[in-house]
Amino acid sequence: MSAASSPFPSTIVVGGTIGSIVVGCKLQVLHGQPPEYRKAEILSIRPSPSADDATRCEYYVHYSDYNKRLDEWVAPERLNLLGEIEYPKIKKPKTVLAGIGKETGKGSEPGTPSGRMSKNNRKSNLSKAATTGKGTEAASSSLAVPGTPGANNKRKASVMEEEGEASQEKAEDTPSTQTLADEDEDEDMNGSVALDAAGDEEGGGIFSKEQEIEKLRTSGSMTQNPHEVARVKNLNMIQIGKHEVETWYFSPYPVEYAYLPVLYICEFCLSYFPAVKQLGRHRHKCTLQHPPGNEIYRKDDISFFEIDGRKQKVYCRNLCLLSKLFLDHKTLYYDVDPFLFYVMTMRDDDGAHLIGYFSKEKESSEQYNVACILTLPQYQRLGFGRLLIAFSYELSKVEKRLGSPEKPLSDLGLLSYRAFWSESIVTLLVEQQKAGIETSIDDIAQKTAFQQIDVLHTLQNLNALKYYHGQYVIVLSDTVIKNAERSAKKKKREVDPKALVWKPIHFTATQLRFL
């Protein structure tokens, strides 16, 4: 349902009707247990799928000052229509007066409204589209989402073509385009490719067919306007193995799979299906019982597999789609060739079950040892995230390099890394103090494989840097030492360097050339 203009002259009013609620409104919405009213913004409106009344709608809301993972669809009964309602401001369209002379011949005809293309430009664009049409069709059909039947790929290609043609017609026939306010910057960022802001200049984020295909190839965007569409979660629940997991964020699964009650995912090959019967038929044919890569670590029931994104594209793309459900600004989907994926699994009689993973660039100019890291929600708060981080630094020690995760980190990732850095550094300092050995920041970095900047920031967070007699010294407080001793008594999963069977892979220039 498209947004309508506010019927009220003022921005904030007290009280309103359900019919006056439009996209962009901010009002109080019932949330939580026990339920209480919290300020929220309406991001999208749709007809209620379970209502007999065709006029009944559901509202997708984002709670102010809360993480986006709490966004949800709410019924109209949860909206407080008696309190203050803030309506979006109406932006007046810009008017451009075209004169007559040499300057008016640049890009538009005299008297042509702003944003409308001239007939000559329109004809030239149509001729370009006609000459490149065959190549575009081939490219759009080849950029199919993995794990879907061939018919769905063809359908998606045709839909992409129709959207590209519609976007061209809209750009030609619309004098000006009014877009919603830019998405608020969320603190929940991850260490993967940042959200691409390209395409906001022409037509408010509307791309031509060629631009859309190029954007799909380079950044994995599968939407015409990622700033707006990605704000609305398209899946509420997934079933992977024995677990039903509530999703947190938008993920660019094909439109045929969007807004299903449950999306069923094979826990070994990560293919996705709309019905449990289709998943059952797939499981009879699927022979995988572990990730399709080399097992480089095995200790107790934990195994790590190394997977090359260039050799196992389908699995890695499916893994990226799955992880996007729980990472906000991750957009890496299609270009998996430049990355290695390290998947952590738990083994039992049925096979090796996915717990989490991290990816790293094959060649990083910034010496990053992690590009993106995730522990699935059903395995969080069990120490597996710490194990993933420890394993990434164990690889850095074998490579004899100092590593660091790609910045900026997500909120949960930052907490996990800070806790790991603090625990490792304090443990090392206590051991060095007992042995009577003086330690510098460079020494800590060499022994832990942490970059110096991460060591410095961790010591600052611990308030362990003191200025004494013209120089900075490292001093641990009694509280920090007691917390470290208490943490050391807890049973934790540790990475055993002896169980790691791995040699760093050195890629040639040809292997690092990705087309």
Side-chain angles (χ1 to χ4, degrees), residues 268-442:
F268 296 113
C269 71
L270 303 185
S271 298
Y272 41 88
F273 304 92
V276 64
K277 186 176 292 186
Q278 295 182 14
L279 175 63
R281 289 199 298 264
H282 166 79
R283 286 303 306 147
H284 286 297
K285 301 176 183 178
C286 184
T287 58
L288 276 181
Q289 290 186 315
H290 58 78
N294 298 325
E295 187 178 12
I296 61 175
Y297 179 91
R298 176 180 289 192
K299 180 69 180 292
D300 299 330
D301 58 343
I302 299 297
S303 293
F304 278 87
F305 292 83
E306 182 183 58
I307 305 171
D308 190 336
R310 191 169 193 169
K311 297 178 180 178
Q312 298 291 342
K313 292 184 180 182
V314 173
Y315 181 88
C316 294
R317 290 170 185 170
N318 287 341
L319 181 61
C320 289
L321 285 175
L322 174 62
S323 63
K324 180 61 187 74
L325 292 170
F326 310 104
L327 296 173
D328 186 11
H329 285 77
K330 174 182 173 63
T331 57
L332 172 65
Y333 157 68
Y334 191 79
D335 241 352
V336 295
D337 290 20
F339 293 87
L340 292 170
F341 294 81
Y342 295 88
V343 178
M344 180 171 62
T345 63
M346 179 180 290
R347 290 177 288 102
D348 59 16
D349 295 336
D350 296 328
H353 306 278
L354 174 65
I355 296 177
Y357 85 101
F358 68 88
S359 60
K360 62 183 294 187
E361 291 181 274
K362 294 177 180 177
E363 192 68 30
S364 175
S365 59
E366 301 292 337
Q367 298 300 319
Y368 291 135
N369 64 353
V370 168
C372 184
I373 186 169
L374 171 74
T375 304
L376 293 178
Q378 63 267 33
Y379 295 106
Q380 291 180 1
R381 304 184 67 86
L382 297 175
F384 291 114
R386 181 183 179 278
L387 196 63
L388 275 173
I389 297 173
F391 189 81
S392 68
Y393 280 107
E394 206 61 45
L395 298 183
S396 297
K397 291 178 183 178
V398 177
E399 293 175 319
K400 296 181 180 180
R401 296 180 179 179
L402 303 182
S404 180
E406 189 172 334
K407 312 295 192 305
L409 291 164
S410 66
D411 53 351
L412 296 179
L414 181 60
L415 291 175
S416 300
Y417 266 95
R418 278 183 178 173
F420 179 78
W421 288 333
S422 300
E423 181 184 345
S424 301
I425 292 174
V426 171
T427 301
L428 177 62
L429 290 175
V430 171
E431 292 176 355
Q432 299 284 56
Q433 184 181 15
K434 291 180 180 179
I437 302 174
E438 292 186 359
T439 305
S440 65
I441 291 180
D442 288 337

Side-chain angles (χ1 to χ4, degrees), residues 131-151:
T131 56
T132 60
K134 294 183 179 180
T136 303
E137 291 177 3
S140 61
S141 61
S142 64
L143 298 181
V145 178
T148 58

